[in-house]
Amino acid sequence: MDYKIAVVKGDGIGPEVVDGAIDILSYIGEKFNHKFIYNEVLAGGSAYDVYGQPLPRETIDACKIADAVLLGAVGGTKWDSLPSDKRPERAILGLRKELGLYANIRPGILFNALSESSPLKSEVLGDGFDICVVRELTGGIYFGERGIKENDLGKSAYDIEEYSEMEVRRIAKTAFEFAMKRNKKVTSVDKSNVLESSRLWRKVVEEVSKDYPEVELNHLYVDNAAMQVIRDPKQFDIILTSNLFGDILSDEISVLTGSIGMLPSASLGQGGKGLFEPIHGSAPDIAGQGKANPIATILSVAMMLRNSFNLGQEASCIEAAVNRALDEGYRTCDIARNEENSISTKEMTKVIKSYI
Ligand code: NAD
C-alpha cells in the first residue's frame, strides 16, 4: 500500500533527527513492501524566513491531504523577538487546530538500559514503568474565554476552563481504546472536589467506561496524581486527563524517564489521522553538530505506523531495534555517561537500522 506523509523538518536539530527517522521508515518500507511517499513542507522559523509566517497555507493544505504528518521541532533564538502570532511555535498549535487533533498521546517509558538516568531511586523504579498519557488537546482552559477586566481595584485577568460532554466523551473513548491494546487500566485525573468542569469530566468518563467492561477505571485528583507518579509510577497504565493537567503531568513523567531525546508523541484526530513528533524542542545549543539523539523521532515514526497505518508489526520491529541499540550500549551525547564515548545522529540511525 502507498502511504502519503507530509514531512515538516522544522528548525534547529529538527532536520537532523527527521532525516534519521525517514531513513528508518524507508528501510521498513523496503523490508515489508510498503511505499511511503514523502512531501516536505515548511513550518516554524524556516517557514517564517520564506513566507513571513510560521504556518503557510501550502503547509496546511499538504498536511490535510496527507495520511500522516511527521514533524521534527520548531523554534530558535533567531525568531525569539517576533510577535507571538509570528513565532515558530504557533505553527504547531495551528496545525493541531487545522487538522482537528484533539488527542495527545505521550508515552513515558523508562528504558531498562537507561534506568540510571532517572532521578528516581532504583527501588521505586523496580523493573521500569510504561505510562501513556492521553491528554485532551483542543479544549479546556487553553482554548476557553479569556480576558482582562478593569475596575476600581485595578486589573483582573481570567481564563475559563470549559469542557462539553462531546469533548470529554471522545477523548475518554480514545483512552479506553488505547487501554484495550495495553494493560486495560485507565486512571482519569481531574479536580472534581473543586471544579464543576471536572465533575462533568468524571461523570462522562464513567459513562464511557460502561462500554469497556474489561478496562479497570479509577480516578485521582490532580494533586494526588502529581505525587503518585513520583511515589509509584509502576501503578499506571493509561492516564486520561484534560489539556492543562496533561500538559503538566506529561512533562513531569518525561523527566522521570531521564531522557528528553528519547520520547515520542502523537496527536490524533478523527479517523486515525495524526501528527507525530518527538517531545523535545529544536535544541539550538547542539543544532548543526550532527550529535542530536534521533531516537524520539524514530519512535514517533513507530507510533505513526501503529496508530495511523495500523502496521503494528513494523512498529514493534523499530521499537525492538531501538531497545537493542540501547542494550548494546550505544549512546548519543544526551544519554551517554561520558560524552567522549557517544556516537553521532547518523551512527545511531545506522545501528538501529542494522538491528531491524
Ligand atoms: P529543547 O528540548 O530544545 O532542549 C532542552 C535541552 O535538551 C537542550 O540542552 C538540548 O540540547 C537537549 N536536547 C533536546 N533534544 C535533544 C536530542 N534529541 N538530542 C540531544 N539533546 C537534546 O528545549 P528548549 O531549549 O527549552 O527549547 C529550544 C527551542 O525549541 C525553543 O525555541 C522552544 O520554543 C522550542 N521548542 C519546540 C518544541 C516543538 O517543536 N514541539 C517543543 C519544545 C520547545
Side-chain angles (χ1 to χ4, degrees):
M1 237 184 113
D2 290 1
Y3 300 96
K4 289 196 280 309
I5 302 168
V7 178
V8 182
K9 292 186 177 178
D11 312 314
I13 61 169
E16 300 164 45
V17 293
V18 169
D19 284 346
I22 287 185
D23 196 6
I24 298 290
L25 190 56
S26 301
Y27 190 57
I28 286 283
E30 272 171 42
K31 285 246 160 188
F32 289 84
N33 209 15
H34 304 301
K35 194 162 168 204
F36 298 112
I37 301 159
Y38 308 107
N39 180 15
E40 196 180 325
V41 284
L42 293 178
S46 53
Y48 176 81
D49 289 347
V50 175
Y51 297 92
Q53 51 174 311
L55 186 58
R57 191 73 240 169
E58 286 89 327
T59 299
I60 297 170
D61 293 342
C63 291
K64 278 190 172 166
I65 58 167
D67 298 315
V69 182
L70 175 64
L71 189 140
V74 297
T77 41
K78 182 178 171 194
W79 303 282
D80 274 353
S81 52
L82 289 173
S84 75
D85 62 322
K86 301 277 188 222
R87 288 189 55 130
E89 295 79 2
R90 296 295 293 195
I92 296 183
L93 292 178
L95 270 178
R96 286 172 179 167
K97 190 163 166 264
E98 290 283 346
L99 301 177
L101 306 175
Y102 58 83
N104 187 226
I105 316 297
R106 286 257 304 247
I109 302 167
L110 182 76
F111 294 86
N112 268 336
L114 299 181
S115 54
E116 76 275 10
S117 321
S118 172
L120 294 183
K121 291 185 192 137
S122 56
E123 57 264 37
V124 176
L125 293 173
D127 53 3
F129 57 84
D130 178 355
I131 306 173
C132 179
V133 177
V134 176
R135 165 189 168 199
E136 202 290 325
L137 202 56
T138 51
I141 198 164
Y142 291 176
F143 291 87
E145 193 187 320
R146 66 193 56 203
I148 295 184
K149 295 186 286 195
E150 196 133 22
N151 59 25
D152 301 346
L153 300 170
K155 277 186 181 159
S156 63
Y158 61 95
D159 302 88
I160 293 181
E161 167 88 346
E162 182 173 354
Y163 269 112
S164 69
E165 289 184 307
M166 180 280 288
E167 286 172 315
V168 183
R169 191 165 289 117
R170 69 181 179 185
I171 191 70
K173 251 176 99 63
T174 304
F176 281 95
E177 290 292 335
F178 267 82
M180 286 298 287
K181 295 184 208 140
R182 293 172 44 104
N183 293 325
K184 299 197 172 81
K185 185 175 175 193
V186 170
T187 302
S188 174
V189 172
D190 61 38
K191 189 70 184 167
S192 60
N193 50 345
V194 179
L195 302 176
E196 202 58 57
S197 52
S198 278
R199 281 193 272 277
L200 182 73
W201 177 281
R202 194 176 278 217
K203 177 180 141 296
V204 175
V205 170
E206 277 175 358
E207 282 166 17
V208 173
S209 79
K210 295 199 178 98
D211 295 332
Y212 299 88
E214 287 172 59
V215 179
E216 179 192 340
L217 169 68
N218 70 326
H219 303 275
L220 284 183
Y221 297 138
V222 64
D223 37 354
N224 189 14
M227 289 190 283
Q228 293 297 330
V229 293
I230 290 174
R231 203 187 62 79
D232 180 18
K234 297 188 299 300
Q235 69 181 288
F236 295 105
D237 177 24
I238 300 279
I239 291 181
L240 159 64
T241 193
S242 64
N243 206 342
L244 172 66
F245 298 158
D247 192 2
I248 299 164
L249 285 177
S250 55
D251 269 11
E252 185 190 3
I253 292 166
S254 68
V255 167
L256 303 183
T257 70
S259 48
I260 194 174
M262 302 284 305
L263 296 179
S265 78
S267 301
L268 304 175
Q270 226 49 274
K273 176 133 179 170
L275 179 142
F276 300 84
E277 56 177 327
I279 69 156
H280 60 71
S282 57
D285 52 333
I286 58 163
Q289 299 174 29
K291 61 185 200 180
N293 186 348
I295 292 180
T297 317
I298 290 172
L299 291 175
S300 300
V301 154
M303 285 189 87
M304 176 190 289
L305 290 170
R306 183 174 285 117
N307 293 294
S308 280
F309 304 157
N310 213 9
L311 299 175
Q313 195 194 348
E314 290 80 342
S316 301
C317 225
I318 295 178
E319 288 154 356
V322 166
N323 268 312
R324 179 151 171 219
L326 295 172
D327 286 344
E328 301 281 338
Y330 292 102
R331 301 282 186 270
T332 41
C333 64
D334 54 320
I335 50 174
R337 282 196 145 178
N338 173 357
E339 216 184 297
E340 281 166 19
N341 296 334
S342 63
I343 60 173
S344 68
T345 313
K346 285 198 171 127
E347 285 163 332
M348 181 57 102
T349 306
K350 201 169 156 200
V351 170
I352 293 169
K353 203 166 153 184
S354 72
Y355 292 149
I356 287 176

